[in-house]
Amino acid sequence: LAIALDVTVGHDPADSVTRDQLEAPRQQFVASLDSGAMRGARIGILTNYFADTDGEIADSVKAAIAAMKAQGATVIDVTVPDFDSLMANTSVINMETKFDLAAYLATVPNAPVRSMREILDRGLFDRTQELRYRSLDTMRTLDSEPHRAALAKQAVLRARMEQLMDSLSLDALAYPAVRQKPVLVGEVQTGSTCQLSAHSGLPAIAMPAGFTADGLPVSVELLGRRWTDVRLVQLAYAFEHTNPRRRAPFTTPVLVRGAAPAAISVTVGSTIRSSLSATRFRWDPVRNALSWSVTVRETRRRDTQAVVLRRLNADSTRLVPAGSTRVITRLLGPGMSRTSGTLALNGFERRALESGRLSIAVYGTHDLAPTEATLQLATAPRASLAGH
């Protein structure tokens, strides 16, 4: 990041925001990197952004802030009483997009379209965006009273946040980059905090902070005053030296001779043969999906209450102790003789499969304990994705 910033910062004639850099000394990022930059730094925890934050995300971000403190930073809680009213009506993106898009397209040789209206008339959009695009196209002019009012509120927001940091001698404010867990593609993501930097015009940097119990990434964000980008990168560089807080996504399999890996057969232990006459499991590492086909023996059909997938927990979490088991899903219920299906595994479940901690268990009416057998990949996957 520091290398990229060193070759891109500076005045841009096409960007009025950068005019202030004409007379300012050029910022040097790589030369300013310092693994000890947290010593003596003052970080404010913006408590307003923790009020409705998912518990696991809050814990990860607070742990990251504690690591900053351990590096020598002074950490204090900061609450802005009228924060919601300060943030209200500061967005201008829907007022500007139509005009910025047209200005951009005008610079593209042989552009296939020239305006939002043309995109709409020709149907060149995803259906999920139609309502937003039609709303954007209703803007008649960029120079409007609502636009001027929003820009004025942005200036107030910026001044208030800088006054706050000045009054407490803070280098930055810290808060979750997103307050709620990431959702599946196509669902609406809530809990964003990006508006604070975007609407105030103040620089911010997001850094990996850890993971939730089900393997989803969490980030902590630092917000600084205007033109303190170098200081923010310094702090982020120092924070990166506390502990590795990033790992390759669990959904990214290692390529096999340059191609995506094929699906892998899963073998089932022999201890359940007296209960099940046939089992077939198959693991697709690309789609992150475990498919199955299970048949109960006729002699056990009336007695079988459930066939389930279970995970042995290797590590303790706030809610689940190590060594305990957790039912992932029920494959088959009472009176059923055959079942098949596919399940998308999360990060914990995938690692359990790869390390032999995923099992199939058969519960019977008169059994004191379930009959259980582990699932084993027929071809062991690469142990780690780190570095790939």
Side-chain angles (χ1 to χ4, degrees), residues 272-277 295-301 337:
I272 59 171
R273 287 180 181 171
S274 61
S275 300
L276 304 178
S277 62
T295 304
V296 177
R297 288 189 180 279
E298 183 61 30
T299 55
R300 286 294 308 269
R301 185 170 65 85
S337 59

Side-chain angles (χ1 to χ4, degrees), residues 13-351:
D15 185 358
S16 60
V17 175
T18 66
R19 288 173 186 166
D20 290 351
Q21 294 195 41
L22 282 171
E23 300 179 1
R26 187 175 181 84
Q27 301 187 67
Q28 300 292 326
F29 288 87
V30 173
S32 301
L33 295 180
D34 178 9
S35 60
M38 281 292 176
R39 287 192 298 270
R42 289 178 59 83
I43 308 294
I45 304 176
L46 186 58
T47 60
N48 301 80
Y49 271 154
F50 284 86
D52 58 348
T53 298
D54 177 87
E56 291 184 70
I57 292 177
D59 287 348
S60 294
V61 172
K62 289 177 181 177
I65 295 171
M68 299 178 195
K69 185 175 181 179
Q71 282 187 297
T74 298
V75 176
I76 61 173
D77 286 346
V78 176
T79 302
V80 181
D82 55 345
F83 186 70
D84 289 342
S85 61
L86 274 174
M87 292 292 298
N89 302 316
T90 55
S91 176
V92 296
I93 187 170
N94 288 339
M95 303 177 196
E96 296 178 350
T97 297
K98 171 184 175 179
F99 307 101
D100 287 347
L101 177 65
Y104 164 72
L105 291 172
T107 68
V108 178
N110 302 315
V113 291
R114 292 294 179 183
S115 66
M116 179 66 71
R117 171 45 47 191
E118 192 173 352
I119 291 172
L120 288 167
D121 288 344
R122 294 173 57 183
L124 302 176
F125 53 85
D126 188 279
R127 290 182 61 187
T128 61
Q129 299 299 310
E130 182 173 3
L131 290 178
R132 179 167 184 263
Y133 286 177
R134 293 196 181 281
S135 176
L136 297 177
D137 195 53
T138 62
M139 300 297 161
R140 295 182 177 275
T141 177
L142 182 59
D143 183 21
S144 65
E145 180 56 35
H147 187 244
R148 290 191 294 271
L151 292 178
K153 282 214 67 178
Q154 287 188 354
V156 172
L157 173 65
R158 179 166 56 250
R160 280 289 304 278
M161 301 311 294
E162 290 192 314
Q163 288 168 6
L164 173 66
M165 288 185 273
D166 287 342
S167 67
L168 299 173
S169 300
L170 298 177
D171 291 270
L173 291 169
Y175 48 87
V178 179
R179 304 191 303 278
Q180 300 298 321
K181 291 183 181 182
V183 299
L184 296 175
V185 173
E187 297 180 6
V188 177
Q189 179 68 56
T190 60
S192 173
T193 60
C194 69
Q195 298 91 339
L196 179 55
S197 173
H199 297 182
S200 68
L202 299 177
I205 189 166
M207 307 167 292
F211 293 84
T212 63
D214 49 355
L216 296 173
V218 177
S219 292
V220 58
E221 187 164 309
L222 296 179
L223 179 91
R225 300 174 184 79
R226 280 173 293 181
W227 313 118
T228 60
D229 308 63
V230 167
R231 181 59 172 155
L232 292 179
V233 173
Q234 277 185 334
L235 295 174
Y237 181 75
F239 176 70
E240 283 185 332
H241 282 72
T242 57
N243 273 312
R245 297 176 186 274
R246 182 195 177 276
R247 58 175 176 253
F250 68 83
T251 53
T252 307
V254 177
L255 298 180
V256 179
R257 292 184 295 277
I264 303 170
S265 295
V266 180
T267 60
V268 181
S270 60
T271 55
I272 59 171
R273 287 180 181 171
S274 61
S275 300
L276 304 178
S277 62
T279 59
R280 182 179 181 273
F281 284 84
R282 196 164 180 80
W283 167 242
D284 186 339
V286 176
R287 293 176 174 81
N288 209 44
L290 179 68
S291 58
W292 68 83
S293 175
V294 174
T295 304
V296 177
R297 288 189 180 279
E298 183 61 30
T299 55
R300 286 294 308 269
R301 185 170 65 85
R302 293 183 179 179
D303 178 50
T304 299
Q305 292 298 304
V307 179
V308 303
L309 275 180
R310 303 204 303 182
R311 184 189 81 213
L312 176 67
N313 297 299
D315 304 307
S316 294
T317 68
R318 186 172 58 176
L319 301 176
V320 183
S324 61
T325 58
R326 177 181 180 180
V327 173
I328 296 174
T329 188
R330 186 174 71 169
L331 308 183
L332 181 146
M336 297 174 62
S337 59
R338 175 174 292 183
T339 180
S340 62
T342 300
L343 175 71
L345 302 187
N346 65 30
F348 275 9
E349 294 160 358
R350 176 171 178 151
R351 286 190 290 274

